Amino acid sequence: MQLLWVVVVGLLGVFGAEGTETVCRMLGSPEFPLLSKEGDVTIGGAFSIHSKITQPPLSFTETPPPLTCSSVNLREFRFAQTMIFAIEEINNSDTLLPNVSIGYRIYDNCGSTLYSMRAAMALMNGQERTVGKTCIGQTAVHAIIGESESSSTIVMSHTTGPFQIPVISHSATCECLSSRKEYPSFFRTIASDLYQSRALAQLVKYFGWSWVGAVNSDSDYGNNGMAIFLASAKEEGVCVEYSEKFSRTEPEKLLKVVNVIRGGTARVIVGFLAHVEMNNLLEELSLQNITGLQFIGVEAWITADSLVTPTSYSVLGGSLGFAVQKANISGFSEFVIKQFWDTAFHCTETSLQENATVSRPCSESQDLIELREYNADVEELRYSSNIYKAIYAVAHSLHSLLKCKEGRGCDHNVRTEPWQVVESLKQVNFTIKTGDQVWFDSTGAAAATYEVVNWQRGPDGGVQFKPVGYYDASLPPGQQFVLRTEDIMWPGGLQQMPVSVCSESCPPGTRKAVQKGKPVCCYDCVPCSEGEISNATDSNGCIHCPDEYWSNLGRDKCIFKAIEFLTFTEVMGIVLMLFSLFGVFLTVLVAILYLIKKDTPIVRANNSELSFLLLFSLTLCFLCSLTFIGRPSEWSCMLRHTAFGITFVLCISCVLGKTIVVLMAFRASLPASNVMKWFGPPQQRLSVLAFTLIQVLICVLWLTVSPPFPYKNMKTYKEKIILECDVGSAIGFWVVLGYIGLLSLLCFVLAFLARKLPDNFNEAKFITFSMLIFCAVWITFIPAYVSSPGKFTVAVEIFAILASSYGMLFCIFAPKCCIILFKPELNTKKHMMGKMK
């Protein structure tokens, strides 16, 4: 639809040319430039020198009056002045286009896409009402500089694109303009928003702001830039609480945006706005006294002088954003004060004449004339250097096309077409006097370099845009940002950086749990489970500690698990050790007593050798319990189980021998019995040796096949390691216990059978009690052993050893010791042989 008017005019011109009297005639009135100058070649320009447009009432009965523009945009006016300054500088140069003069035609589009279309048509067609019998001819300009906003630039590029007229923008940053298929003749001396939008996300991430609001202009510039920012923010882990947009012509949407900002919890606002929309938002925020927010801005408004008002600092103070790097163009400040008004700006009170290029009446330019003596803003100009680069890029392109050579000038006979300028612009590569290199990449854009600026109060109380760092997309990742955070002034004049998060950071020892139905930045901090840690802030999950480690109380470090085993220094170990040594002490006392009274009948009865051997084996039983205390090692594990098995078999073998002696003695007292000769002392010693040797063989086989070994038990307790002795071969372990149980059961049965034999002192009944205790202890030992955790397993085993040892010591030897010590009158052979009543 935008090209419809062009096509209609062209067709009318062609059809009209078929008649002999008709000529190519312009429909309507021509558009005259605000500033112009004739030359051998002409460069067009389009700027929003006025920012507001007034729509006249439409009666639809007569031709509507022209639109009225108002509110001078000083920054855009400086752009026009910069263009003229660069052209005049080139015209005065002896090296660049030496004998060629450059003219210009600069139009004011008043911040309207409608006027942008009119300016584009005027730049292509010129101001002549008739141009002969054909409408086909040379365009009025060789290149167009502009526009400032992406939406207007898109309109102009679409309009001029079919005619391959190069359009070079100084500040249109929309990524959509990078398409060479849609905009083959578009160039810009500024980087695409692709880099700025990504840099915004990185800047927000750099300061740890994970919860932000976003507002953008409802235009190609704002929508494309915000779309890239939102995608980049998601990659960086930044959440956007809301994303609102409005247009400069939609005050009701602006009020909605302000209400959303007031009701939001985000303290950081990313504003991807053109300076006009930003000005509208600023006015409404000031009106509603919404202050204290951290604004992150884009190059379109962050350094706009038009936003600096007496009330704006309370809203935008401390703002951070990306700006085009400032460049000092020598001589420009003097030019805008005097030379521009003397040579470039002409206005008269004459009326417009047909077929003539006439200056605008002075009455229409009165608001511009008021700026004649003002140049205080020149030092802060940033985009002016981009316009300067654009003009020089066109000049170098024409210099090449016109085959200009030093000393010989340029060839005026060479006809240059706009498409040739487009192709030549792709090849330009030069350095201007400010030291900047000018070239265009494959998308027609310049390199992405920005200054990071901060709104601060200057020493004089005025607002200044202080550089606090820079961003260079050409550097490797990680080196693109350089920020001097100590130079930043935050909102409210504070030195402390504001915090903008949906949820506070989760400290080490916790993990983030996303709140249901909310963005990932809104989460609860959940402590790590036992055995898990998180050693960083805002961990998404907890890490399991290795097998031999456990989490500390803070759940932020894995520490070695406590190793548990029965030690000699703990209370339980000391008690068991004392009981063991006390048993040894009692056993030794009994042995000494027996040794002193070895010739008395009660000691000699029932084989005193077996009694001494039994006392020796009981001593070993008490001592072997000590091998179960202390840190398990390879040797201690083998020793404790084999010593236990062999000493107990030796002990029970002695008891079994004594039981058999009692039975044999009774049999020997019968008439014609010689059984004692078959079970005399040698046979008794041999039986003890045989029974013990079997256990020794079992233990040797066990140690050979699969011996016990120290084992770290990590299954019983998660938070600690139980250092214990694994039996190795479970079969070997239970065979050893089973053999002990078999001997003790046999001994119990024989003793039980001999308990009522007719002696005053029948040892069999005491053996029966001792075996009864022994069997009861070890039968209860099995379930207790299996179910006891950790070191208590060892304690149960020691208790069983001590209990069974004390049982045999007291049951077998205590009655004899009582007679020896307290009733010596019963320690006689006559009493020993007496019959029981």
Side-chain angles (χ1 to χ4, degrees):
M1 293 299 297
Q2 293 172 342
L3 296 179
L4 181 60
W5 190 77
V6 182
V7 174
V8 170
V9 172
L11 290 175
L12 289 174
V14 172
F15 294 149
E18 292 181 357
T20 55
E21 299 298 327
T22 58
V23 294
C24 181
R25 184 182 299 275
M26 181 183 294
L27 299 179
S29 301
E31 286 291 325
F32 293 101
L34 176 67
L35 302 167
S36 65
K37 179 182 179 180
E38 296 301 321
D40 298 327
V41 293
T42 306
I43 300 175
F47 306 102
S48 301
I49 296 175
H50 293 85
S51 58
K52 290 185 180 179
I53 190 168
T54 304
Q55 181 77 37
L58 301 176
S59 62
F60 299 100
T61 58
E62 59 183 1
T63 302
L67 302 177
T68 304
C69 298
S70 61
S71 185
V72 174
N73 188 325
L74 178 61
R75 186 169 71 158
E76 295 282 325
F77 182 52
R78 294 299 188 214
F79 295 162
Q81 290 179 310
T82 305
M83 177 175 171
I84 296 172
F85 171 76
I87 289 174
E88 294 297 338
E89 195 174 67
I90 294 170
N91 287 338
N92 294 327
S93 172
D94 295 330
T95 57
L96 187 61
L97 296 174
N99 59 338
V100 174
S101 63
I102 301 176
Y104 52 84
R105 295 181 182 181
I106 299 174
Y107 284 83
D108 179 10
N109 65 18
C110 300
S112 166
T113 53
L114 175 62
Y115 261 37
S116 293
M117 172 70 78
R118 296 169 71 100
M121 299 303 301
L123 287 169
M124 288 191 295
N125 295 323
Q127 291 83 41
E128 293 79 6
R129 291 181 177 272
T130 58
V131 292
K133 294 184 178 181
T134 176
C135 290
I136 300 174
Q138 178 78 31
T139 59
V141 294
H142 291 80
I144 300 173
I145 308 300
E147 294 195 22
S148 299
E149 294 187 358
S150 296
S151 296
S152 300
T153 306
I154 290 170
V155 171
M156 179 166 286
S157 297
H158 272 305
T159 305
T160 61
F163 304 100
Q164 295 183 297
I165 300 174
V167 175
I168 309 175
S169 176
H170 54 283
S171 65
T173 56
C174 180
E175 169 60 16
C176 55
L177 288 165
S178 296
S179 172
R180 302 311 279 169
K181 183 177 180 180
E182 285 192 67
Y183 309 99
S185 58
F186 174 73
F187 298 86
R188 51 185 162 192
T189 51
I190 193 172
S192 159
D193 277 334
L194 174 68
Y195 301 100
Q196 182 175 215
S197 297
R198 290 176 177 174
L200 283 172
Q202 293 175 28
L203 182 67
V204 170
K205 177 70 174 180
Y206 179 87
F207 289 110
W209 297 321
S210 59
W211 188 240
V212 301
V215 181
N216 65 277
S217 301
D218 191 4
S219 61
D220 295 291
Y221 167 73
N223 292 332
N224 279 275
M226 184 55 70
I228 299 171
F229 167 76
L230 293 176
S232 300
K234 187 175 181 180
E235 293 178 3
E236 296 288 346
V238 176
C239 297
V240 179
E241 182 183 10
Y242 53 82
S243 180
E244 299 292 329
K245 60 184 178 181
F246 70 95
S247 172
R248 64 190 65 177
T249 59
E250 298 174 321
E252 67 284 350
K253 280 193 177 181
L254 172 59
L255 290 175
K256 178 196 170 189
V257 170
V258 173
N259 289 332
V260 171
I261 293 174
R262 185 197 294 109
T265 58
R267 309 308 303 162
V268 175
I269 311 294
V270 177
F272 216 109
L273 300 156
H275 70 91
V276 176
E277 278 87 353
M278 188 62 209
N279 186 64
N280 296 342
L281 178 62
L282 175 61
E283 289 177 357
E284 192 62 36
L285 291 174
S286 299
L287 187 64
Q288 299 193 27
N289 196 29
I290 299 175
T291 60
L293 297 175
Q294 174 66 57
F295 274 88
I296 306 298
V298 290
E299 34 69 42
W301 65 265
I302 195 65
T303 57
D305 287 318
S306 59
L307 299 181
V308 180
T309 64
T311 59
S312 64
Y313 190 79
S314 62
V315 177
L316 294 182
S319 294
L320 282 170
F322 296 102
V324 177
Q325 288 185 315
K326 188 163 55 176
N328 182 25
I329 305 173
S330 59
F332 180 61
S333 181
E334 295 77 13
F335 176 80
V336 300
I337 288 290
K338 178 173 175 56
Q339 205 172 347
F340 170 78
W341 302 99
D342 293 343
T343 60
F345 190 82
H346 300 287
C347 64
T348 64
E349 294 296 342
T350 58
S351 59
L352 300 178
Q353 301 295 325
E354 191 172 292
N355 297 332
T357 301
V358 185
S359 299
R360 178 171 297 198
C362 290
S363 59
E364 295 184 18
S365 305
Q366 187 62 40
D367 53 358
L368 297 178
I369 296 174
E370 293 176 0
L371 302 173
R372 182 165 190 152
E373 301 297 328
Y374 181 74
N375 71 339
D377 63 315
V378 172
E379 290 185 3
E380 287 295 330
L381 293 178
R382 294 174 182 270
Y383 288 100
S384 294
S385 64
N386 287 350
I387 295 173
Y388 190 82
K389 294 173 187 176
I391 295 297
Y392 267 85
V394 175
H396 277 272
S397 176
L398 293 172
H399 187 89
S400 174
L401 291 173
L402 294 175
K403 301 177 181 178
C404 300
K405 294 183 179 179
E406 190 175 352
R408 291 171 48 187
C410 304
D411 188 352
H412 285 267
N413 296 321
V414 176
R415 180 182 174 88
T416 57
E417 299 290 341
W419 68 267
Q420 293 176 305
V421 179
V422 171
E423 295 302 318
S424 181
L425 282 171
K426 296 177 182 178
Q427 311 298 324
V428 297
N429 192 334
F430 60 93
T431 302
I432 58 176
K433 66 180 181 179
T434 60
D436 296 326
Q437 190 174 6
V438 181
W439 57 277
F440 300 104
D441 62 17
S442 59
T443 65
T449 56
Y450 301 98
E451 265 187 351
V452 182
V453 298
N454 179 219
W455 276 51
Q456 297 186 7
R457 287 281 188 196
D460 58 351
V463 176
Q464 64 177 9
F465 311 122
K466 183 175 180 178
V468 291
Y470 67 87
Y471 175 84
D472 189 345
S474 64
L475 296 176
Q479 303 177 21
Q480 296 172 335
F481 258 118
V482 174
L483 287 172
R484 299 183 299 276
T485 53
E486 66 277 4
D487 294 341
I488 298 176
M489 185 65 69
W490 303 105
L494 302 176
Q495 296 290 336
Q496 185 176 1
M497 182 180 69
V499 176
S500 184
V501 294
C502 181
S503 301
E504 292 296 328
S505 294
C506 289
T510 62
R511 63 176 177 84
K512 296 192 293 186
V514 178
Q515 296 175 359
K516 189 175 181 180
K518 293 188 177 182
V520 295
C521 298
C522 300
Y523 48 81
D524 296 316
C525 297
V526 179
C528 292
S529 303
E530 290 185 342
E532 296 182 340
I533 65 158
S534 65
N535 53 9
T537 304
D538 290 336
S539 294
N540 291 318
C542 298
I543 307 168
H544 282 281
C545 289
D547 289 340
E548 295 190 9
Y549 290 82
W550 194 249
S551 55
N552 62 352
L553 291 176
R555 302 286 196 271
D556 59 354
K557 185 186 298 183
C558 284
I559 57 176
F560 276 108
K561 288 181 179 179
I563 298 178
E564 184 179 88
F565 55 90
L566 189 60
T567 66
F568 288 100
T569 56
E570 62 182 293
V571 175
M572 185 163 45
I574 293 172
V575 170
L576 292 174
M577 180 177 64
L578 290 177
F579 271 101
S580 176
L581 295 177
F582 185 66
V584 172
F585 175 71
L586 289 179
T587 306
V588 171
L589 282 181
V590 172
I592 293 171
L593 183 61
Y594 263 49
L595 189 60
I596 295 171
K597 303 291 184 177
K598 67 178 187 297
D599 296 325
T600 60
I602 201 167
V603 175
R604 294 180 62 189
N606 204 355
N607 196 336
S608 60
E609 285 188 15
L610 288 179
S611 296
F612 281 107
L613 187 57
L614 178 57
L615 288 169
F616 173 72
S617 63
L618 282 173
T619 304
L620 294 180
C621 287
F622 282 118
L623 290 175
C624 84
S625 64
L626 298 176
T627 63
F628 287 82
I629 306 174
R631 187 184 187 92
S633 64
E634 192 172 336
W635 285 103
S636 68
C637 286
M638 290 189 291
L639 177 62
R640 66 173 60 170
H641 288 97
T642 53
F644 156 71
I646 294 171
T647 55
F648 262 79
V649 165
L650 177 61
C651 183
I652 295 171
S653 297
C654 293
V655 176
L656 181 60
K658 293 174 76 67
T659 306
I660 295 173
V661 168
V662 172
L663 286 173
M664 292 300 104
F666 176 73
R667 297 286 296 178
S669 64
L670 295 176
S673 176
N674 59 353
V675 70
M676 282 305 294
K677 73 176 183 178
W678 298 105
F679 200 74
Q683 287 79 12
Q684 294 170 21
R685 288 191 290 270
L686 187 60
S687 65
V688 172
L689 179 62
F691 286 133
T692 306
L693 190 58
I694 293 172
Q695 184 74 309
V696 172
L697 291 175
I698 293 172
C699 290
V700 169
L701 185 62
W702 179 18
L703 295 178
T704 303
V705 175
S706 182
F709 58 89
Y711 166 67
K712 293 179 179 178
N713 182 355
M714 303 180 195
K715 297 179 180 178
T716 305
Y717 296 103
K718 292 181 179 179
E719 72 279 5
K720 58 185 175 182
I721 300 173
I722 306 299
L723 194 58
E724 58 189 18
C725 286
D726 190 285
V727 295
S729 172
I731 296 175
F733 175 71
W734 290 110
V735 167
V736 167
L737 287 183
Y739 183 64
I740 296 172
L742 178 63
L743 291 181
S744 60
L745 183 62
L746 178 61
C747 185
F748 173 73
V749 171
L750 293 177
F752 183 78
L753 293 175
R755 73 189 186 285
K756 292 185 179 181
L757 293 179
D759 280 340
N760 268 347
F761 189 81
N762 185 359
E763 198 173 26
K765 56 187 173 185
F766 301 115
I767 294 174
T768 302
F769 283 122
S770 68
M771 287 299 100
L772 187 61
I773 294 173
F774 183 90
C775 292
V777 167
W778 286 101
I779 288 172
T780 56
F781 158 77
I782 294 172
Y785 178 83
V786 172
S787 61
S788 298
K791 62 183 178 181
F792 297 103
T793 305
V794 179
V796 166
E797 196 166 358
I798 295 174
F799 176 79
I801 293 171
L802 294 177
S804 55
S805 300
Y806 274 110
M808 284 189 287
L809 178 64
F810 284 117
C811 288
I812 294 174
F813 293 100
K816 293 182 179 182
C817 290
C818 286
I819 292 173
I820 294 171
L821 293 174
F822 305 111
K823 294 184 179 181
E825 68 276 6
L826 300 180
N827 190 5
T828 61
K829 186 174 181 181
K830 181 179 178 180
H831 181 268
M832 295 293 296
M833 298 301 294
K835 300 295 184 179
M836 294 181 66
K837 294 182 181 180

